[in-house]
Amino acid sequence: MSTISIIGSGGMAAAIGGRTVKAGHTIEVISRDRSKAHALATQLDAGASTGTYGAAPTGDIVILAVPYSSAAAVLADYGDALDGKVIIDITNPISSDAASLVTPSGSSGAQEIAKAASTGAHVVKAFNTLFGPVLTQRGRLDAFFAADDPEAKARVSTFIESLGLRPLDVGGLHMAATLEAIGLMLIGLARNGAGSFDIALNVDIGTA
Amino acid sequence: MSTISIIGSGGMAAAIGGRTVKAGHTIEVISRDRSKAHALATQLDAGASTGTYGAAPTGDIVILAVPYSSAAAVLADYGDALDGKVIIDITNPISSDAASLVTPSGSSGAQEIAKAASTGAHVVKAFNTLFGPVLTQRGRLDAFFAADDPEAKARVSTFIESLGLRPLDVGGLHMAATLEAIGLMLIGLARNGAGSFDIALNVDIGTA
C-alpha cells in the first residue's frame, strides 16, 4: 500500500479519496483552507492526515483535484516541493457553459499543467472521464490514463488497479487532449440527455 | 423505409450495408470500379442496385465509405450532383501508422469533407467509432453522430435507430474532431491490447 496525497476537498477529491481509503492506502488531504481538508480527511478515514498547503506532500502520488482554472496557481505555490512526485491531473478544462475546451489549440490541460509544474514532477492525466457519483457508486469502471514517463505510468496504472478500476493506457501525455475532448463530450451528452447513462465503445479490429 | 446510397465497396461499406438491408431499406452501391459495386450489391441483397459513379445517387442519405485520403477527390468528382443530399462521413483521418490525426489543427476530417462537398449537401459525422466486425456481429451499439443542420441530424438519427443502433447526438460538426480523436484512441488501444475489447463510459452528473 502507498501514501496518496490529494490536493483539493471537493466532490472528486471525496470520490477518489473514498476509493483510495477502501483500497487500504494511507491518505493525506491538503487544501488551501485547512479546515476543509480536515473535514474531508475525517470523513474519509480515522487515520487520514491533513497536510500543509504548499509543503512537500507525504504521498508519492499527488492527486491534483482542483478546478483547471486554479491548477497552474496551485502548482506555482508548490514550486519544487513536488519534485520527484507523480502528479495526477484529473481536470476537465472546459468553459463555464460547457460548450468548449479552454486549452490552447494543439495542447491540452494536462500539457499546460505539466508546463506549470516543477520539471522534477511527472504529470499523468487520469480520472477526468469518471464522474464523482459514478466513481462512488459503481464497481470496476474503465479508467483511461495518459502520460509520457514510463515509470509514472506504471505507478498510476497500479494505483488505478488497486482502486478496483480497469486502467486503460491511451498513450503519451499528448493523448490527454483526447481524454479531455471525451470529458467535454460526456458532459454535453449528460446535459442534453437524461443526466445519467452508460455508453459502450466496442473495439474489434482483429478481422477488419 | 428509405433508399440509401453507399459510395465505397470495402469492409465498412459491407458492414453498414448489411445492417441497412436488414432494416428493410433499399440500397444502392456505388464505386469507381463498377464491378466491385456490383459484387457488394449482389452480396448484400438481391434487390440492391448499382449506381453510376459521379452521377446523382438515388438515396437521400449517401454514405461516403471511402478512405479519408480519397474523400475530397470523390466529392470533387461528384460536384453538385450531391446537392440536397445528406452525406454521412464515416472516415477516421489518421496517419498510416495510426499514430496521429492527419487533419489541420482546429479542424476535423468531417469539416474538411464539408468544405470539399457541394454547398448544397449536408455532412454528418457518424459510424467512425464503430468497427466493421463489431457492426456486423453485435446488437444495439452506441453510435455517435455530429452535424450542424438540424434536419440532416434528425434524418441520420432516425436512420441509425432503424439499424438497431443507439444514436447519440454529440453536437455540431465541430464535435467530429472529438469523434475522430476517439477513433484514433480506440485503434491505438486495440493495437496495444488484445485487439478486441469493450470500454464503458459511465455518465452521471445528476448529483455531482
Side-chain angles (χ1 to χ4, degrees):
Chain A
M1 298 300 102
S2 312
T3 299
I4 306 294
S5 294
I6 299 182
I7 302 176
S9 57
M12 279 300 288
I16 298 173
R19 281 203 180 238
T20 301
V21 166
K22 271 187 202 156
H25 299 298
T26 302
I27 201 163
E28 176 191 47
V29 182
I30 306 162
S31 171
R32 200 187 287 268
D33 181 341
R34 192 159 189 144
S35 66
K36 287 187 183 172
H38 184 70
L40 177 57
T42 305
Q43 172 195 321
L44 287 173
D45 186 22
S49 64
T50 304
T52 300
Y53 180 83
T58 56
D60 294 329
I61 291 177
V62 179
I63 299 166
L64 187 61
V66 301
Y68 178 69
S69 55
S70 310
V74 168
L75 293 168
D77 289 342
Y78 272 87
D80 59 11
L82 294 175
D83 276 4
K85 304 294 186 185
V86 172
I87 300 174
I88 299 184
D89 162 32
I90 70 164
T91 64
N92 274 306
I94 65 176
S95 58
S96 56
D97 61 357
S100 59
L101 295 167
V102 297
T103 44
S105 181
S107 185
S108 63
Q111 288 165 294
E112 296 302 303
I113 282 172
K115 286 179 203 164
S118 169
T119 52
H122 301 292
V123 173
V124 178
K125 186 85 198 185
F127 296 104
N128 76 295
T129 61
L130 294 167
F131 295 81
V134 176
L135 262 176
T136 302
Q137 295 157 22
R138 307 280 192 97
R140 189 167 163 82
L141 300 161
D142 290 336
F144 301 108
F145 67 98
D148 289 330
D149 183 72
E151 194 189 322
K153 287 178 85 145
R155 287 163 66 188
V156 169
S157 182
T158 300
F159 172 60
I160 289 172
E161 184 78 51
S162 78
L163 300 186
L165 305 169
R166 179 168 73 141
L168 289 166
D169 179 358
V170 299
L173 198 62
H174 70 282
M175 287 299 288
T178 297
L179 299 184
E180 292 163 10
I182 292 174
L184 176 66
M185 187 186 78
L186 294 178
I187 292 168
L189 281 167
R191 291 192 174 196
N192 293 335
S196 173
F197 56 87
D198 295 343
I199 297 170
L201 300 171
N202 310 102
V203 180
D204 185 349
I205 62 168
T207 58
Chain B
M1 298 298 102
S2 314
T3 299
I4 306 294
S5 295
I6 299 182
I7 302 175
S9 58
M12 279 301 287
I16 298 173
R19 280 202 180 240
T20 300
V21 166
K22 272 186 203 159
H25 300 296
T26 302
I27 201 163
E28 176 192 49
V29 183
I30 307 161
S31 172
R32 200 187 287 268
D33 181 341
R34 192 158 189 145
S35 66
K36 286 188 182 171
H38 184 71
L40 177 57
T42 305
Q43 172 195 322
L44 287 173
D45 185 22
S49 63
T50 304
T52 301
Y53 181 84
T58 57
D60 294 329
I61 292 178
V62 179
I63 299 167
L64 187 61
V66 301
Y68 177 69
S69 55
S70 310
V74 168
L75 292 168
D77 288 343
Y78 271 86
D80 59 13
L82 294 175
D83 276 4
K85 304 294 185 183
V86 173
I87 301 175
I88 300 184
D89 162 32
I90 70 165
T91 64
N92 274 307
I94 65 177
S95 58
S96 55
D97 62 356
S100 59
L101 295 167
V102 297
T103 43
S105 179
S107 186
S108 64
Q111 288 165 294
E112 296 303 304
I113 282 172
K115 285 179 204 164
S118 169
T119 52
H122 302 291
V123 173
V124 178
K125 187 84 196 186
F127 296 104
N128 76 295
T129 62
L130 294 168
F131 295 80
V134 175
L135 262 176
T136 303
Q137 295 157 21
R138 305 282 191 96
R140 187 166 164 84
L141 299 162
D142 290 336
F144 302 109
F145 67 97
D148 289 330
D149 183 72
E151 193 189 322
K153 287 178 84 145
R155 287 164 65 188
V156 169
S157 183
T158 300
F159 172 59
I160 289 172
E161 184 78 51
S162 79
L163 300 186
L165 305 169
R166 180 167 72 140
L168 289 165
D169 178 358
V170 300
L173 198 62
H174 70 282
M175 288 298 290
T178 297
L179 299 183
E180 292 164 10
I182 292 174
L184 176 65
M185 187 185 79
L186 294 178
I187 292 167
L189 282 167
R191 290 193 173 195
N192 293 335
S196 174
F197 55 88
D198 296 342
I199 297 170
L201 299 172
N202 310 101
V203 179
D204 184 349
I205 63 168
T207 57

